[in-house]
Amino acid sequence: MRRRIYKINKEDLDYIIINNLKWYKEPLRVAGYGELTYTSGGKTYYYYTFAQAQQAASSIGKRIPTQAEYSALGNLGFSWDVSLKGIWLGLDANEKQESKTSLFLPALGNAPSGVVGNFGLHGTYWSSTMGPTYPYNLNFSSTFIISNNTSYATSYFTAIFVDQV
């Protein structure tokens, strides 16, 4: 049996409670699931297929948000942050600073063909919800946010993880 090796950093376990969910502040970084990696600014980011993201989150006792949970979070408010290159979601999203009611998601790009692109310009985060044909994801840039986007399950996107309160 192949053993999964992963490292959880302390900052990966920092979370904020919004809509009765613990939203973890760092994207999922669990190695050993066939993921792609991309390093920028000395930090390594992980990109998974739909199945890999579910397995990686489950391996640490967490889960990926549903499409409805992303939608509810976005409905509270959202704002693009030019300097941080990402999106703030939550009640204080327009403040563009860390608070108890907003979450920042960096625009980590995506890798639908296995090569990371659009880093700092666009973000695509897996949801755990399967659509009629393809899984849903949260898709955003400086000009839009879509929580009901679908993509091939074999695309490589990043993921964030949640827990029940």
Side-chain angles (χ1 to χ4, degrees), residues 3-4 23 27 39 42 47 75 87 93 108 142 159-160 164:
R3 187 179 180 145
R4 304 275 186 203
W23 293 83
T39 302
Y47 301 79
N75 287 340
I87 196 166
L108 299 178
S142 63
I160 193 163
Q164 293 303 124

Side-chain angles (χ1 to χ4, degrees), residues 62-120:
K62 311 295 182 217
R63 67 177 181 79
I64 306 298
T66 66
Q67 182 270 335
E69 290 165 344
Y70 275 135
S71 182
L73 181 62
N75 287 340
L76 293 174
F78 61 90
S79 182
W80 180 260
D81 191 313
V82 174
S83 62
L84 293 177
K85 294 184 167 82
I87 196 166
W88 288 95
L89 298 159
L91 290 173
D92 291 333
N94 288 327
E95 300 295 321
K96 297 181 184 174
Q97 64 185 9
E98 192 166 334
S99 77
K100 293 183 179 184
T101 61
S102 63
L103 174 72
F104 178 76
L105 295 180
L108 299 178
N110 51 40
S113 61
V115 177
V116 176
N118 298 312
F119 192 90

Side-chain angles (χ1 to χ4, degrees), residues 28 33-36 47-57 155-156:
L28 186 63
Y33 289 88
E35 68 284 336
L36 295 174
Y47 301 79
Y48 307 89
T49 64
F50 180 71
Q52 291 168 347
Q54 311 308 313
Q55 292 167 352
S155 296
Y156 284 87

Side-chain angles (χ1 to χ4, degrees), residues 4 28 30-36 47-60 62-64 125-131 133-137 151-160:
R4 304 275 186 203
L28 186 63
V30 179
Y33 289 88
E35 68 284 336
L36 295 174
Y47 301 79
Y48 307 89
T49 64
F50 180 71
Q52 291 168 347
Q54 311 308 313
Q55 292 167 352
S58 178
S59 76
I60 57 170
K62 311 295 182 217
R63 67 177 181 79
I64 306 298
Y125 286 71
W126 282 119
S127 88
S128 60
T129 306
M130 186 66 187
T133 306
Y134 305 113
Y136 287 102
N137 58 68
S151 297
Y152 293 111
T154 54
S155 296
Y156 284 87
F157 301 143
T158 194
I160 193 163

